[in-house]
Amino acid sequence: MLVMGEVHTGLLQNSGEISESTCRQVLGLMAGETVRVSRRPIVHALSPERLTGVDCALPTASRSRVRGVGTVVSRCAVTGGRVAQGSSYARVVRSEADRRLPWSHYLARPGVVEVLGKVKAADLAEGFTGDTVPGRPDGACLDLGAVSGRFLDLVQQSPLLDRRAPFKIPRTNLRWVAETGEPSIRFTLHAEQERTLRLTHPGPFTPAVVDLCEDLATHDWLLTSLLVIVERARIGGTPGAQAVARLAPAIDHLMHLWMPAARVEEWMTPFWESLERRPGFTRQWRSLVDRVRDQVAMNTLALLSATAEAGRRSP
Amino acid sequence: MTPVHATFGEVAAERRIASVPLSHVSVELGHLYMEDYEAGPDRLREQFRRVAPWLATVRSLWQERVPGGRARVSTCFLVDDYFSRFSTPAELVPMVLEAAAEHDLTIDYLARESACAQSGGVELARLVEDRLVDDPPPETDGSRPPVKETGWLCNGSRSPRTAPLQAMGKARPWEPPAQNAKRGHSIFVDVELWDEKGPRRTWSCPFLAAVWQLLRLGLLRSDGRVPLPPVALDGGWPRDWDELPAVVRLNPQAAPFSAYTTLSVLSPRFLPVELAVRTILSQFAVDDEVLRQVATRSEGEGIRLEEELVDRISYVFV
């Protein structure tokens, strides 16, 4: 019917970036399962996948009560030894039975949540990615955000991290829904750190869709964070040297991480490309990076001329 | 210039899952504990006498089911060297084989129970524990981590605590536990997976028996590899259990150790243990890729396997 997921992205709670071998240890969430690491064009480490059992109401725009039973797939990732993610998703399908079945039935379909009773895909999609935070006033409703948040916490609380992050920056949450159909993509910024993504792709769902959502979440977080840092620097409102000092974390920790669509399968790259046209993630990123570099260059020039001035004055 | 299509691969970024040769059915001919050993060889002979007709039955059932009648049936025998150490392989194994031969039974594979906990640097029990996915009671929405009693696993919701939390509080009346997938009434099962005394963890008998079933079903992988592949023994039987490989191939012509399905012929006194085993296995998540491998293979030879893992396991209690 559809796939729903949520990705939480944040700055890894460590003073510097962590090495590939540390990544492997931090993400080793399961005995006997290896952490997958790719090194080109950026180091990206992905934990093994774990399942969480759920039996609860699903979010619907109509607020009608829809019960889902099954498992949610979760995993963690670290990009560039610096950006941490907790990501969860579930494929929602109609159940052939009208009652809850033994648990082994659901474990034979990992990552599938079966809906008991009638529901329209659009109602679920709208309920999950609509303007309001999914939830029901009268009881428990599938909380993928909490699951992803816990997986991100699992990484952040690793004893291998020193918990001395170079700057404070909020986490971002991306809720997404993917369906089969005519290709389209809609990315929406909501209040604060909330984002939603509606994706329609040709052919059946594959994990490549999840990779795309995680890649988008990483880059949206990078862009959001760089914006925050530039804003905090108060360029023009503070002395140049002070502004540059405030921009330094961006140069040290973020600016080399921009690698859009690096881990996205070829057939999914048109989705990234269409977002590049509107709103133009890379365009905004480049303009911000140029702004940071211009500030540094201006400040260097000012320092140089000040030094030269001082040299002329001294006998 | 025509466009060049580039492909790039990274071994560390891929997930490689080895496949395992599979029989149609793995039949456990017996499970030897110290008490059985102490009861002498007659107890063993009695066990094999009871098992023999069931092995013949399951063999003929599979011969009917498989095109051409070429059923792959392998037999195995498990010795407990985990909860108590008794005798030595050199003394015990020949005795077991002899008792089996008296009833025309061939034991293809012999395994040590302690290997289900740990062997050859692979902690199978930990591996299985990490893949348990708790059966969620209704209204489990993911907002909180699953309610766990460390070292225990159940099939529903436990009774709320009846003791008052504060000295002044009133004791709550007893409320029953509930099975999640109950049909009318609950059969609530709560299984102890392990206990710890100091640094040493002792896995429970049902937990190791669950690992044993998974090993026989060929559903476990450690770093993508098949753990504890059977080894033929060169030379004689060692004097120490630790020197014995985890799974020994006794019969060079044997069908593969692991199988699509398993059958265990047991005394009814093991019924509670096996209920616990099924409770554990109902909450074990087999790797997606491994599930697919087994499904593809079985469909390739025209066999439809039960979807659920617990339905691939059968018993004869005699």
Side-chain angles (χ1 to χ4, degrees), chain A residues 31-33 36-40 50 54-56 65 99-100 103-105 107 109-110 140-141 143 150, chain B residues 8 10 12-13 15 130-131 133 135-136 138-145 183 223 282-284 288 307-308:
Chain A
E33 280 291 332
R36 284 179 284 164
V37 181
S38 60
R39 301 186 188 87
R40 303 277 187 275
R50 291 194 80 142
V54 292
D55 174 353
C56 58
R65 185 161 175 85
R99 60 189 168 83
R100 178 172 162 162
W103 189 232
S104 48
H105 167 85
L107 285 184
R109 295 157 184 75
C141 177
D143 194 346
R150 269 203 307 282
Chain B
F8 171 71
E10 284 181 278
R15 206 162 167 262
D130 274 2
R131 298 200 75 95
V133 180
D135 185 343
E139 302 302 310
T140 303
D141 59 3
S143 61
R144 281 180 296 273
R183 286 200 154 190
D223 292 330
S282 301
Q283 298 178 59
F284 178 82
D288 217 2
E307 246 178 16
E308 293 166 37

Side-chain angles (χ1 to χ4, degrees), chain B:
Chain B
M1 192 178 141
T2 49
V4 177
H5 182 74
T7 49
F8 171 71
E10 284 181 278
V11 173
E14 290 163 14
R15 206 162 167 262
R16 299 192 175 185
I17 303 293
S19 64
V20 56
L22 292 165
S23 289
H24 293 116
V25 57
S26 152
V27 182
E28 181 177 5
L29 300 179
H31 190 144
L32 191 76
Y33 288 98
M34 186 161 77
E35 64 216 61
D36 306 301
Y37 170 73
E38 283 172 343
D42 282 345
R43 171 81 72 98
L44 257 178
R45 284 194 200 103
E46 177 58 21
Q47 160 76 8
F48 289 131
R49 187 185 64 75
R50 272 188 285 190
V51 168
W54 298 104
L55 176 63
T57 306
V58 77
R59 198 186 292 276
S60 69
L61 284 174
W62 272 97
Q63 277 164 349
E64 282 167 29
R65 194 170 164 188
V66 177
R70 281 189 294 274
R72 301 188 299 276
V73 180
S74 69
T75 61
C76 57
F77 189 88
L78 187 69
V79 180
D80 170 34
D81 65 332
Y82 184 76
F83 296 103
S84 48
R85 284 281 168 109
F86 52 93
S87 186
T88 65
E91 184 197 355
L92 188 92
V93 179
M95 183 183 97
V96 172
L97 297 183
E98 207 172 292
E102 283 177 27
H103 294 278
D104 292 328
L105 292 175
T106 308
I107 299 177
D108 295 329
Y109 300 93
L110 182 108
R112 295 193 292 124
E113 183 142 10
S114 63
C116 296
Q118 181 185 17
S119 177
V122 182
E123 282 192 88
L124 278 189
R126 292 265 180 193
L127 206 135
V128 171
E129 189 191 22
D130 274 2
R131 298 200 75 95
L132 291 179
V133 180
D134 294 45
D135 185 343
E139 302 302 310
T140 303
D141 59 3
S143 61
R144 281 180 296 273
V147 182
K148 275 188 192 291
E149 289 296 333
T150 307
W152 289 78
L153 189 73
C154 70
N155 66 349
S157 314
R158 298 180 173 91
S159 275
R161 284 175 202 279
T162 48
L165 291 173
Q166 289 161 332
M168 297 296 286
K170 269 190 174 170
R172 282 164 64 176
W174 181 81
E175 283 175 46
Q179 181 189 1
N180 288 336
K182 68 178 174 187
R183 286 200 154 190
H185 298 88
S186 284
I187 301 173
F188 179 76
V189 182
D190 208 343
V191 183
E192 189 169 17
L193 305 180
W194 45 261
D195 66 357
E196 273 171 354
K197 289 189 182 70
R200 188 181 142 78
R201 175 180 287 199
T202 305
W203 298 96
S204 69
C205 168
F207 194 82
L208 294 184
V211 178
W212 172 233
Q213 286 285 1
L214 290 166
L215 199 61
R216 285 166 67 202
L217 288 168
L219 297 177
L220 296 177
R221 297 292 183 277
S222 174
D223 292 330
R225 290 186 290 271
V226 178
L228 315 183
V231 179
L233 199 65
D234 292 327
W237 294 98
R239 306 224 143 262
D240 191 340
W241 289 105
D242 288 327
E243 287 168 35
L244 193 70
V247 181
V248 184
R249 180 190 283 113
L250 299 170
N251 172 11
Q253 271 87 48
F257 168 68
S258 296
Y260 295 139
T261 62
T262 69
L263 172 76
S264 301
V265 186
L266 300 166
S267 150
R269 72 189 157 108
F270 288 109
L271 226 147
V273 175
E274 296 306 324
L275 173 61
V277 169
R278 292 178 75 84
T279 305
I280 296 167
L281 291 179
S282 301
Q283 298 178 59
F284 178 82
V286 182
D287 183 272
D288 217 2
E289 177 58 33
V290 177
L291 270 183
R292 247 195 311 272
Q293 274 182 5
V294 176
T296 312
R297 188 95 61 82
S298 59
E299 278 161 23
E301 52 177 321
I303 292 166
R304 258 197 90 75
L305 285 183
E306 298 288 347
E307 246 178 16
E308 293 166 37
L309 160 60
V310 283
D311 294 336
R312 298 180 190 175
I313 298 168
S314 55
Y315 304 93
V316 175
F317 289 104
V318 282

